[in-house]
Amino acid sequence: MPQRPLPLNAIHAFIVTARHLNLTRAASELCITQGAVSRKIAALEAWLGFSLFDRHARGLHLTPQGASLLPALQSGYQQMHDAAQQASRQNAVIRLKAPTCAMRWLVPKLVALEKARPELHVSLTTTVDHSSQLDNFDAAILYGSSPRHSVLLFEEALTPVMALSLMPGEPDAVPSLAEMTFLHPTADSRDWQLWLQAQQQLLVMKRNQHFSTMDLAISAAIQGFGVTVADVTLIAEDLAMRRLVAPFAGSVKTGAVYSLIRRPPSVSPPLLDELVAWLCEQP
């Protein structure tokens, strides 16, 4: 009879939960929900045929069977982790998930990193989902609020930008924008309204184009389609290369941030610390 495959993810969840005896802290370390931790534990208990924890009002306690099994599983899992980590050092691939809106900032940093450290390869996946779950990734860049235990990369700050060919005769006069096409990074006009309120200006936007991401709105502005508000960090290189110009001094913070979450060191691939340190340098 073939052996039943070991549920390794469930074993890892059991080891972490046994260390904390608390589902909330275990979920935080594993970067999954409490419900997902509970389901993994339940799956392992079903595989074993006995309970691993007693649930009490004040928390969890290992059952006698769970306490007896734990040391062997800890030792075996650590041996597998050490062996896999050693084998992977020859080809260090880090799986990174990032929102498409961060690409203008992120890609140049990854190119520079791989030139400096050719043995480090980042497998990048883009998404428009801003979920704070790691899923199968080693690290993820998030946009929006900053989750607990995340690393702050930079705060979003908006300013209007356009192609040099569209630069108005009075570059610091907000009313001069009125006849332009307004490019919106979202389906509504909240970003533009936030900037206008900060300038204490009321402006009728006669022509409008809406985009699903800020990166698309920036690309349209570079091509001379109109004027958009964009994050000053994301467009730093475009401004330096004069692909875009910013006619107004200052910017307005939206309250949103770009942050990073990662796997804990105990289950991280080699060189993940270096990637995180590189991305956390001053933008």
Side-chain angles (χ1 to χ4, degrees), residues 33-49:
T33 64
Q34 292 184 46
V37 175
S38 295
R39 289 190 291 273
K40 289 179 184 294
I41 298 298
L44 181 57
E45 290 175 332
W47 195 93
L48 293 168

Side-chain angles (χ1 to χ4, degrees), residues 35-259:
V37 175
S38 295
R39 289 190 291 273
K40 289 179 184 294
I41 298 298
L44 181 57
E45 290 175 332
W47 195 93
L48 293 168
F50 57 80
S51 296
L52 296 167
F53 295 101
D54 288 325
R55 278 76 172 175
H56 298 281
R58 294 186 178 181
L60 301 175
H61 298 284
L62 285 164
T63 64
Q65 296 98 322
S68 176
L69 180 63
L70 179 61
L73 290 184
Q74 287 174 321
S75 176
Y77 193 88
Q78 187 62 47
Q79 288 181 23
M80 288 189 294
H81 176 265
D82 291 345
Q85 187 176 59
Q86 181 63 33
S88 70
R89 289 189 185 277
Q90 300 302 317
N91 185 25
V93 177
I94 298 172
R95 298 162 298 174
L96 175 65
K97 178 175 67 170
T100 55
C101 56
M103 289 301 101
R104 309 189 82 84
W105 171 83
L106 177 61
V107 170
K109 281 186 167 284
L110 294 183
V111 171
L113 174 60
E114 293 199 355
K115 285 182 179 178
R117 295 295 304 272
E119 71 277 18
L120 192 160
H121 175 61
V122 177
S123 176
L124 177 62
T125 298
T126 59
T127 179
V128 294
D129 178 20
H130 299 299
S131 168
S132 61
Q133 301 299 317
L134 273 178
D135 300 320
N136 293 320
F137 296 92
D138 301 309
I141 293 174
L142 309 176
Y143 168 76
S145 59
S146 182
R148 186 183 178 191
H149 302 311
S150 64
V151 178
L152 176 65
L153 296 174
F154 57 92
E155 298 177 279
E156 183 177 57
L158 302 180
T159 194
V161 291
M162 63 190 73
L164 181 60
S165 61
L166 295 183
M167 190 76 160
E170 297 181 63
D172 57 348
V174 175
S176 65
L177 300 176
E179 300 307 315
M180 294 187 179
T181 297
F182 288 85
L183 310 177
H184 300 271
T186 60
D188 54 28
S189 62
R190 65 180 184 272
D191 287 340
W192 264 113
Q193 294 298 344
L194 181 66
W195 185 82
L196 289 169
Q197 288 169 12
Q199 314 310 309
Q200 299 182 336
Q201 296 279 346
L202 183 63
L203 199 64
V204 176
M205 292 178 276
K206 300 175 183 177
R207 296 193 300 274
N208 300 275
Q209 294 288 344
H210 295 268
F211 298 87
S212 58
T213 69
M214 182 171 289
D215 187 58
L216 290 175
I218 292 170
S219 296
I222 289 173
Q223 297 176 61
F225 197 19
V227 56
T228 186
V229 280
D231 177 74
V232 294
T233 300
L234 296 182
I235 58 170
E237 186 170 341
D238 294 309
L239 292 175
M241 300 296 293
R242 300 290 285 175
R243 290 189 290 263
L244 289 172
V245 291
F248 303 98
S251 59
V252 58
K253 291 185 177 180
T254 65
V257 301
Y258 288 83
S259 57

